[in-house]
Amino acid sequence: VSSDCFVTGVGVLPFQLDGDRSFEDMALDAARLALADAGVDLGDVTALVVGSRYAHPGAGQRVTALVGGLRVPVYNIENACSSGTTAFALASRLVAADPDEIVLVIGADETATVGRGGVTLPDADYAGAAGVTHPAAYAMKTSRYCATFGYRVDDIAAVAVKNRAHAIENPNAAFRTAVTLDEVAASPVVAEPLTLLHCTANANGAAAAVLAAAPGGASCAPPVRVAAAEHAAGPLADRFASATEAVACRAFRRAGCGPDEIDVAEVYDAFTIAEVAAYEDLGFCERGEGARHVSQMRLGERLPVNVSGGALGRGHPMGATGLAQVAEVVTQLRGAAGPRQVHGARRGLVHTLGGNLRVLTSNVASVVILEAT
Amino acid sequence: MAADVLEHGRLVGSRCPACEEVRFPRQRWCACGGVPERLLLDGRGHVLVTSTVRKGSRIFPTPYQVAQVALVEGPVLYGRSLDELDVDDEVVLVGAGDDGRTVAFRRQT
């Protein structure tokens, strides 16, 4: 028997392109925000889960070492861009297994500091050693997608235009200015056909959430129920479908709903083509139709996607990204998103991919479904 | 380094005797229960897609081209182009770099 799990608090720090704050400082500040939002004292926390791609080993202990008297189990998660979402999924399972748990989840990274000039690939990755950069892999995916389904690169660039427009209303986003299709096309080529504005930017940042089996006190913000938090890893055959497809099926089954019942979504968009592929993998549209649906995913349209600005608008401190996605959907489901509120949002979805380059698509996919209470 | 990927210019993959799946990189165990056997791949294939990298590489001076190639045995992999390649070009894998262990492709002659 598993108990319900609620997100009772969230917190996001402003993401910074040239931040000089340490991993530990950012993680603690995000934790403070999330605990205050949940109305929970630090001393009530029973477990800490930390997601980070680039933190030094013992990420969570580096945080608890700065907190006098905190003696809780610590779980450190590294799953590339999906580190934060994986940490969240693990936390939800801790709560489901034991209703007395109050789990603090933190995602943080100093990606801007680590990755100036581009995040390097591990030497052990044969593709990285052959000169295939992350943007190059997504560039090839873009070209194949366009050739297979008959699109122009501009159709994919529309994702960057949409998400940057959304980011204007997100005070925590690193990029709060609009871009046009012409500006995307005219930005420097990174890997043909992808230009700089098709790609997210390395950033420093942190985000956090508090999960518990009980909805929390009356004075707190409305809790949001975790209807599903699914995750899968493993190399996949090279095809347009990704790990997302199987994980999404499992998540929808567990949540007892379908893709047409999602009101708001934060999906992986480190590169524009990733968001288009996600529409298809998540079942928001048919295979090959994704690029035709970008305009329907704007705020005010059928299914607003990446209203926070996504990684294209927020910047991408990898460990923090998943929890920033969760925080956005939680805020939306509370009806507290202000000028970027999706009206009447009752059910939301978070999707994050992570992976190296051994396969075209991904070797980690996480899908979380959240419901208003 | 990616030491076990290439051997004397041949690509090291594997074939599972139980499910007959040929894979690259070499698999040590198969979810079907089989124990894949090491297999030197033929190295011929055709280009699925290419990209010219213009920024962000710490490995090679830019620009340079990379390609995704489907091998005749089935596996799909990435590598650097040694010739200027186009989609559907017939290529052969070669070991490039000082140690001959970097995956690269040349047009078949």
Side-chain angles (χ1 to χ4, degrees):
Chain A
V1 178
S2 64
S3 53
D4 267 351
C5 176
F6 296 92
V7 184
T8 60
V10 291
V12 184
L13 296 190
F15 289 3
Q16 297 180 316
L17 299 178
D18 52 3
D20 53 3
R21 300 199 57 201
S22 73
F23 165 84
E24 292 85 353
D25 273 357
M26 293 190 295
L28 280 174
D29 274 359
R32 277 193 195 93
L33 291 175
L35 288 168
D37 188 42
V40 166
D41 292 330
L42 184 61
D44 297 331
V45 170
T46 63
L48 173 65
V49 186
V50 173
S52 184
R53 169 67 182 85
Y54 289 108
H56 295 295
Q61 290 87 332
R62 289 171 195 281
V63 176
T64 56
L66 302 177
V67 182
L70 187 64
R71 297 279 180 276
V72 296
V74 172
Y75 303 88
N76 296 312
I77 301 289
E78 187 278 301
N79 249 345
C81 301
S82 189
S83 298
T85 324
T86 306
F88 180 88
L90 173 62
S92 76
R93 276 151 202 269
L94 293 176
V95 171
D98 179 354
D100 290 333
E101 292 271 24
I102 296 175
V103 183
L104 172 62
V105 195
I106 306 173
D109 256 310
E110 296 175 64
T111 316
T113 310
V114 174
R116 278 188 213 290
V119 173
T120 48
L121 293 159
D123 284 350
D125 188 319
Y126 85 89
V132 181
T133 60
H134 283 289
Y138 279 95
M140 289 189 274
K141 180 164 179 149
T142 303
S143 294
R144 281 195 80 192
Y145 181 87
C146 288
T148 304
F149 298 114
Y151 293 105
R152 297 167 308 134
V153 176
D154 268 3
D155 298 324
I156 313 300
V159 171
V161 174
K162 171 179 75 72
N163 292 357
R164 286 287 293 264
H166 285 164
I168 294 169
E169 298 293 354
N170 181 359
N172 294 322
F175 295 101
R176 300 191 64 196
T177 52
V179 295
T180 64
L181 277 182
D182 286 346
E183 286 168 338
V184 177
S187 61
V189 177
V190 176
E192 291 173 7
L194 293 192
T195 60
L196 192 60
L197 292 177
H198 278 270
C199 313
T200 185
N202 296 328
N204 289 0
V210 179
L211 280 72
S219 62
C220 305
V224 165
R225 199 173 79 85
V226 182
E230 298 294 318
H231 165 77
L236 293 136
D238 171 32
R239 54 196 173 95
F240 288 116
S242 76
T244 299
E245 219 176 351
V247 177
C249 279
R250 232 162 60 200
F252 284 124
R253 202 178 320 126
R254 188 176 280 261
C257 67
D260 55 338
E261 293 171 274
I262 298 296
D263 302 316
V264 59
E266 289 281 311
V267 312
Y268 186 68
D269 67 331
F271 300 90
T272 47
I273 188 67
E275 181 173 316
V276 170
Y279 298 162
E280 301 177 9
D281 294 340
L282 292 166
F284 293 158
C285 65
E286 296 294 313
R287 181 72 52 211
E289 293 287 314
R292 246 183 283 286
H293 283 72
V294 179
S295 63
Q296 296 179 39
M297 309 305 195
R298 287 195 295 241
L299 184 60
E301 301 294 334
R302 178 174 76 97
L303 170 53
V305 170
N306 288 332
V307 178
S308 71
L312 290 164
R314 284 190 312 258
H316 191 26
M318 295 181 184
T321 286
L323 287 156
Q325 292 176 298
V326 166
E328 178 65 23
V329 171
V330 166
T331 306
Q332 291 286 343
L333 298 181
R334 288 170 170 176
R340 60 179 199 281
Q341 179 65 43
V342 176
H343 292 292
R346 300 291 300 164
R347 192 182 276 121
L349 180 146
V350 168
H351 161 252
T352 326
L353 286 181
N356 63 21
L357 290 173
R358 288 202 164 187
V359 289
L360 180 62
T361 47
S362 166
N363 58 7
V364 188
S366 306
V367 174
V368 174
I369 298 173
L370 301 169
E371 291 173 349
T373 51
Chain B
M1 286 300 290
D4 55 355
V5 164
L6 283 165
E7 184 182 292
H8 305 302
R10 297 281 301 275
L11 201 62
V12 183
S14 61
R15 180 183 170 280
C16 175
C19 71
E20 302 192 342
E21 188 85 10
V22 174
R23 289 182 185 272
F24 169 83
R26 179 188 174 190
Q27 309 287 292
R28 306 306 169 105
W29 204 2
C30 187
C32 82
V35 179
E37 292 157 354
R38 192 170 172 282
L39 175 72
L40 289 180
L41 298 173
D42 174 87
R44 284 174 301 162
H46 71 278
V47 174
L48 296 174
V49 62
T50 68
S51 175
T52 300
V53 179
R54 299 209 173 266
K55 284 188 186 301
S57 177
R58 291 179 181 176
I59 310 252
F60 302 118
T62 53
Y64 61 91
Q65 191 191 54
V66 292
Q68 191 187 33
V69 167
L71 297 177
V72 289
E73 290 104 333
V76 169
L77 75 163
Y78 294 112
R80 189 180 173 188
S81 310
L82 296 183
D83 299 317
E84 188 70 19
L85 299 175
D86 288 313
V87 173
D88 291 334
D89 278 354
E90 300 288 325
V91 293
V92 61
L93 182 139
V94 294
D98 291 342
D99 58 0
R101 283 178 164 172
T102 302
V103 174
F105 300 103
R106 233 183 239 303
R107 194 177 289 111
Q108 281 183 45
T109 48

